Amino acid sequence: MTTNEVLIGVGLTVVLAVGSQILARSLRIPALIVLLPVGFGVGSLVDEINPERLLGDAFSPLVSLAVAVILYDAGLGLDLAKLKGHTRRVVVRLLWIGVLITWFLGSLVAAPLLGMSQRAAIMLGAILVVSGPTVVAPLLAFVRPKERLQHILVWEGSLIDPVGGILGALVFHAVMESTGRHVVDGITGFLASVGIGVAGGVLGALLLWALLRVLRLGEVLGTTAQLAAVIGVAAFCDVLREDTGLIAAVVMGLAVSNVLGVDVRARRPFFETVVSLILGLLFISISATVTPQSLRHVVLPALGLAAVLVLAVRPLVAAVATFGTDLSRGERGFVGWMAPRGIVAAATASTFSADLVAKGVGGAPRILPATFVVIVTTVTLYGLTASTVARRLGVVRPARSRPLLVGGDPWVIELALALRSAGPQVLMWSGDDQQRERIRQAGLELAPGELLASATGEGAELEGITGVYFLTAESDFNALAATVLSGSVGGGVHRLRAPRESHGVVAPFTGGEALFGADLTWSYISHRHEEGAAVLARSADDVPPPGSDLLFLVRRDGSLAPVTAESRPPSEPGDTLVLLGPAALHRAERPAGPVG
């Protein structure tokens, strides 16, 4: 290709990748539903975005390293403390029993449906065992199932990708040998791959510990060091044994965030940005390699294969994995209705299918287009139905707001009690031991100590937080923390305004949307509270006490609307007003906790 063609191809790929994700966000649908058709459509019209022409032999290893970065980010978000009891039992069963069942039944059905040889069907079955955090996590964020379900499915999606990648590599080499491998050799090869991946991940985690804890690299250099370490370790492991870099990447993420005590949560937004871009580029590139001619005789049989996987195989896997556990019937049903295929399936099919075609394996040309159809079908089906299925199965979290109030002063606790009495499920956090004890004594739910640090990523999603409100006496802390968390919580991040005479370094200038009226600073509210003002929840149908100030509005549907510097939400019949009453109001009107 000429230099101009390469420039056009790279530029168009990046624009399509990001543009498709923007469109998907606007339509409130999973990005894959847009990325795959766009890549396929443009790839059939424009030769310049075909990655095999752009990158040649470098495409496959680059895909492997890109997926390693994705899995490292997924590993960072996994909390070992949440993997216990029946949750752990279900995840382990999904990973080994589920993989074997899906592989066997998928291969068994693929051969007659797609008219391919047994070897090609076995390869396709191995490719389709994977799911993936990059497709599961966005769907779960939209559906908001119960916390335990979310943990199970996120863990499965994060760990099954490297397992499926290793399985695909082993099956590929067995198929290429024509005569196949002995079962013992296959098991030995799998264990060797796992061993290399785990060892590489441990060494990589120790390297990051040295870089981030011993050398104390700064924010920018420390983040780029993580990226370099993940890519370097994954590449080295892949050189030793194919696809072991995927296991190494997940182990690195798990070890760094759970074992070695390295605080990388503040750097997660960078990796989330990189992962988002990588996903867009990979799906556009891989789908561009699928031609209309290759789909001509594959679409209907592949749709049949997808139907079998969705309607028969996954429910069977879920039934076996959850047997004898304390999961409810609805929870078991939802596990059986959540197995979209994602980037690793596409990457594995793209990597291995060309060599199988060159080897002359019967039906090998149908592996990539069939995988493409299964990915599109499962993502679209689950994306459009998961929310409805979850509601009918009764596994969706309550629709009530779940605000996180940061602070533990007496008036903040009284505010939390008033909000809770109006409906929202209030969660509180404070770094002060005395305030934390005060929160416990009031009967309020106290967030774990690490929640605030992890709220920039999956932490907030897993706890179901719908808004964060910084209400401490430290204006600079409120502003800095609000800046860090800005954009990470669906309901927004707010903070108390700094006093007009503030000499703070940060607070007067930046950080989150300011709460309440112009004069309602922490010091003013505290002083008024000490003089007898109560925080009250009153019906919007009643006349507010003279001299009271509106702080929050709890709507009939349970949603929470704060008063800010820019807006004062209008009330409607049936809403609840949360007010800071006048100082003269009697103490008996204060909300007494615990309140149901």
Side-chain angles (χ1 to χ4, degrees), residues 242-267:
E242 198 166 13
D243 276 351
T244 54
L246 302 183
I247 289 181
V250 171
V251 171
M252 283 180 69
L254 276 170
V256 165
S257 61
N258 290 275
V259 180
L260 298 180
V262 178
D263 186 9
V264 295
R265 293 185 178 97
R267 300 178 174 97

Side-chain angles (χ1 to χ4, degrees), residues 20-361:
S20 297
Q21 290 174 321
I22 293 173
L23 176 60
R25 183 180 183 277
S26 301
L27 297 175
R28 296 181 61 81
I29 59 176
L32 282 183
I33 297 178
V34 179
L35 284 165
L36 291 174
V38 167
F40 170 72
V42 177
S44 63
L45 299 173
V46 180
D47 292 335
E48 283 78 7
I49 70 167
N50 190 315
E52 294 171 350
R53 295 190 62 198
L54 280 174
L55 302 172
D57 293 337
F59 177 57
S60 179
L62 285 176
V63 168
S64 180
L65 296 178
V67 173
V69 173
I70 293 172
L71 294 181
Y72 172 74
D73 178 70
L76 288 178
L78 297 177
D79 187 354
L80 287 173
K82 302 289 178 65
L83 189 65
K84 57 187 178 181
H86 289 263
T87 298
R88 179 174 57 199
R89 186 183 305 176
V90 173
V91 170
V92 171
R93 289 176 179 175
L94 287 171
L95 290 178
W96 74 275
I97 299 178
V99 165
L100 293 177
I101 292 175
T102 305
W103 181 25
F104 174 74
L105 294 180
S107 303
L108 191 67
V109 174
L113 273 180
L114 292 161
M116 54 175 50
S117 66
Q118 185 179 17
R119 288 190 294 163
I122 291 173
M123 185 73 248
L124 180 59
I127 290 170
L128 295 178
V129 302
V130 298
S131 176
T134 55
V135 287
V136 172
L139 289 178
L140 295 180
F142 181 73
V143 175
R144 297 184 71 250
K146 292 181 179 179
E147 184 177 344
R148 178 166 63 168
L149 272 179
Q150 187 146 348
H151 287 310
I152 289 172
L153 294 168
V154 167
W155 270 93
E156 180 201 10
S158 299
L159 298 182
I160 204 169
D161 273 359
V163 172
I166 295 296
L167 177 63
L170 292 175
V171 172
F172 169 74
H173 290 298
V175 169
M176 290 291 284
E177 288 179 3
S178 298
T179 57
R181 287 185 176 183
H182 194 273
V183 174
V184 175
D185 293 334
I187 295 175
T188 302
F190 182 81
L191 294 177
S193 297
V194 172
I196 291 173
V198 171
V202 171
L203 291 175
L206 292 174
L207 172 62
L208 284 177
W209 178 83
L211 292 172
L212 301 177
R213 291 291 295 273
V214 178
L215 297 181
R216 297 186 180 277
L217 299 179
E219 183 69 26
V220 175
L221 191 56
T223 303
T224 53
Q226 281 188 84
L227 188 61
V230 173
I231 293 175
V233 169
F236 179 72
C237 290
D238 281 344
V239 169
L240 295 179
R241 195 172 184 91
E242 198 166 13
D243 276 351
T244 54
L246 302 183
I247 289 181
V250 171
V251 171
M252 283 180 69
L254 276 170
V256 165
S257 61
N258 290 275
V259 180
L260 298 180
V262 178
D263 186 9
V264 295
R265 293 185 178 97
R267 300 178 174 97
R268 286 296 304 282
F270 169 81
F271 279 95
E272 290 171 358
T273 302
V274 171
V275 166
S276 177
L277 180 60
I278 288 174
L279 282 172
L281 295 176
L282 288 181
F283 276 115
I284 290 291
S285 299
I286 291 172
S287 57
T289 64
V290 180
T291 64
Q293 292 77 15
S294 66
L295 286 175
R296 185 172 301 167
H297 303 294
V298 174
V299 173
L300 291 180
L303 287 174
L305 175 60
V308 172
L309 292 173
V310 169
L311 300 176
V313 176
R314 180 63 181 188
L316 175 62
V317 167
V320 173
T322 60
F323 179 76
T325 67
D326 62 356
L327 267 69
S328 67
R329 183 176 180 181
E331 290 172 328
R332 297 182 187 195
F334 191 73
V335 172
W337 192 256
M338 186 54 62
R341 272 55 179 181
I343 187 60
V344 173
T348 307
S350 176
T351 299
F352 296 140
S353 62
D355 289 335
L356 293 174
V357 172
K359 182 73 173 179
V361 175

Side-chain angles (χ1 to χ4, degrees), residues 360-398:
V361 175
R366 299 189 172 191
I367 291 177
L368 180 58
T371 303
F372 175 83
V373 172
V374 171
I375 292 173
V376 173
T377 303
T378 55
V379 170
T380 303
L381 179 63
Y382 292 129
L384 297 178
T385 64
S387 183
T388 301
V389 170
R391 285 197 302 271
R392 291 190 176 182
L393 292 175
V395 296
V396 179
R397 291 178 188 169

Side-chain angles (χ1 to χ4, degrees), residues 469-481:
Y469 302 91
F470 290 95
L471 306 171
T472 76
E474 299 295 331
S475 297
D476 278 345
F477 167 78
N478 293 341
L480 285 169

